[in-house]
Amino acid sequence: MTAQIKKKFIHDIKDYIAIAFGLALYALSWTAFMLPYGITTGGLTGVSAIIFYATGIEMQTIYFLVNVILLAFALKILGWKFCAKTVYAVILLTIFLKVGQVIMTDETGEFKLILGEGQNFMASFVGAILCGIGVGICFTANGSTGGTDIIAAIINKYRDMSLGRVILIADILIIGSSYFVFHDITRMLFGYVTMVIMSASLDFYVNSARQSVQIMIFSYKYEELANYINKDVNRGVTVLNGMGWYSKKESHVLVTLCRKNDATNLLRAIKQIDPKAFVSMSRVVGVYGEGFDRIKVK
């Protein structure tokens, strides 16, 4: 096994572990906070929950069957890699939802209210945050929780539209339709509260994970630093020729762009290689191109 293949294999394993963790949070939010308090929200799990409240059919059953249909359409558009992780996620979430409901029900089959009676708002608040973070973890690991996430991923592939916004539009329609099933304004409003908090949590998590920084390094050991950035950080670097106006000495400036979570390791390396280096670091609004985000415009 070559070093490159080994590195890719380890990266994929980390993705699958991250997806499993995100799904565990997502299932926890539903089985511990949403279902026990009769709260629904958008997405396919929201539709499944509405059907569960109305008919008693377990939500994981509806969730699994509809996802099979959606995956058949997504296979050609998103490719085998995305669908493989999504199939993994759908199967895992189906199991997590089932296990979670078993744990969160008592001997009579009633859900346990872990926050106490009448804590619907707190349940929707906590459940929404866990849902948003869980979905965000799945997306940053190049996975999906299935359902409307598949539709969101398809749209996000071709349009410069945030994942949270796509899911938000679908959720508005799904939650609005729940009124025609329950005829209960309160339950619908709790659904919208959950939707807004979940969407904000999702965008916050995904965007914070994708934040990039621009680093300018003024150093006489620019060659050693440039090699480190290329080989260890796996980022491109540009060398600019300059001159210190006070000293009138020629100098070289390294300019590189990297993810925020790579910046700490890079700063440590700079300190080790050249403690006297002058470094400027600034956040950037967006970085598009190889190794970063794709440009997606109409």
Side-chain angles (χ1 to χ4, degrees):
M1 182 181 291
T2 64
Q4 186 174 3
I5 295 176
K6 184 178 180 180
K7 184 177 180 180
K8 183 179 182 302
F9 176 77
I10 294 174
H11 181 74
D12 287 340
I13 293 297
K14 289 181 179 179
D15 279 351
Y16 281 104
I17 293 174
I19 290 171
F21 180 71
L23 294 175
L25 285 180
Y26 190 76
L28 174 65
S29 69
W30 272 101
T31 57
F33 300 101
M34 312 281 248
L35 291 179
Y37 289 89
I39 299 170
T40 188
T41 187
L44 180 54
T45 45
V47 174
S48 303
I50 293 174
I51 296 174
F52 168 73
Y53 296 139
T55 65
I57 300 174
E58 292 185 334
M59 64 179 296
Q60 68 268 16
T61 303
I62 304 298
Y63 168 83
F64 180 79
L65 293 176
V66 176
N67 266 303
V68 170
I69 299 173
L70 289 175
L71 283 169
F73 288 100
L75 182 62
K76 182 177 180 180
I77 298 174
L78 299 177
W80 281 101
K81 186 174 182 180
F82 178 91
C83 288
K85 289 184 177 180
T86 306
V87 169
Y88 164 78
V90 167
I91 294 174
L92 209 58
L93 183 55
T94 301
I95 296 172
F96 284 163
L97 288 172
K98 177 63 178 178
V99 173
Q101 289 178 76
V102 171
I103 295 174
M104 292 307 301
T105 52
D106 55 25
E107 295 78 7
T108 63
E110 295 294 325
F111 280 104
K112 301 173 185 176
L113 302 179
I114 61 176
L115 297 179
E117 296 283 348
Q119 296 295 325
N120 297 59
F121 177 77
M122 184 58 66
S124 67
F125 181 80
V126 176
I129 291 177
L130 291 178
C131 271
I133 294 175
V135 174
I137 292 173
C138 289
F139 272 125
T140 52
N142 299 311
S144 166
T145 58
T148 52
D149 295 349
I150 299 175
I151 300 173
I154 293 173
I155 295 175
N156 182 255
K157 181 176 180 179
Y158 298 106
R159 293 289 182 269
D160 190 14
M161 193 173 185
S162 74
L163 300 171
R165 187 176 299 175
V166 175
I167 295 175
L168 180 66
I169 295 172
D171 288 355
I172 289 174
L173 299 176
I174 293 170
I175 296 172
S177 65
S178 69
Y179 176 78
F180 300 101
V181 176
F182 302 113
H183 303 287
D184 186 349
I185 291 291
T186 302
R187 184 174 292 187
M188 186 178 72
L189 290 177
F190 273 121
Y192 280 123
V193 170
T194 304
M195 174 199 69
V196 172
I197 298 173
M198 177 182 171
S199 180
S201 300
L202 169 62
D203 271 350
F204 175 80
Y205 184 88
V206 172
N207 290 334
S208 62
R210 291 182 174 178
Q211 283 183 0
S212 299
V213 294
Q214 176 179 276
I215 300 178
M216 300 181 69
I217 308 167
F218 300 76
S219 172
Y220 290 108
K221 298 183 179 180
Y222 66 94
E223 292 183 358
E224 190 174 350
L225 286 169
N227 289 330
Y228 176 85
I229 295 171
N230 276 163
K231 296 178 180 179
D232 294 86
V233 185
N234 198 27
R235 292 296 180 188
V237 59
T238 300
V239 181
L240 305 178
N241 293 323
M243 182 182 69
W245 188 249
Y246 178 79
S247 64
K248 299 299 189 293
K249 292 182 179 180
E250 292 187 357
S251 63
H252 294 83
V253 183
L254 302 181
V255 181
T256 185
L257 292 159
C258 65
R259 296 296 188 192
K260 185 179 178 181
N261 51 12
D262 292 327
T264 301
N265 291 332
L266 178 55
L267 290 174
R268 288 174 182 164
I270 294 172
K271 185 177 180 180
Q272 291 178 355
I273 296 172
D274 185 5
K276 296 182 179 180
F278 184 84
V279 181
S280 170
M281 182 171 70
S282 58
R283 293 182 180 180
V284 291
V285 176
V287 182
Y288 304 96
E290 186 176 353
F292 292 91
D293 297 328
R294 292 177 55 195
I295 299 176
K296 291 172 280 188
V297 294
K298 295 183 179 180

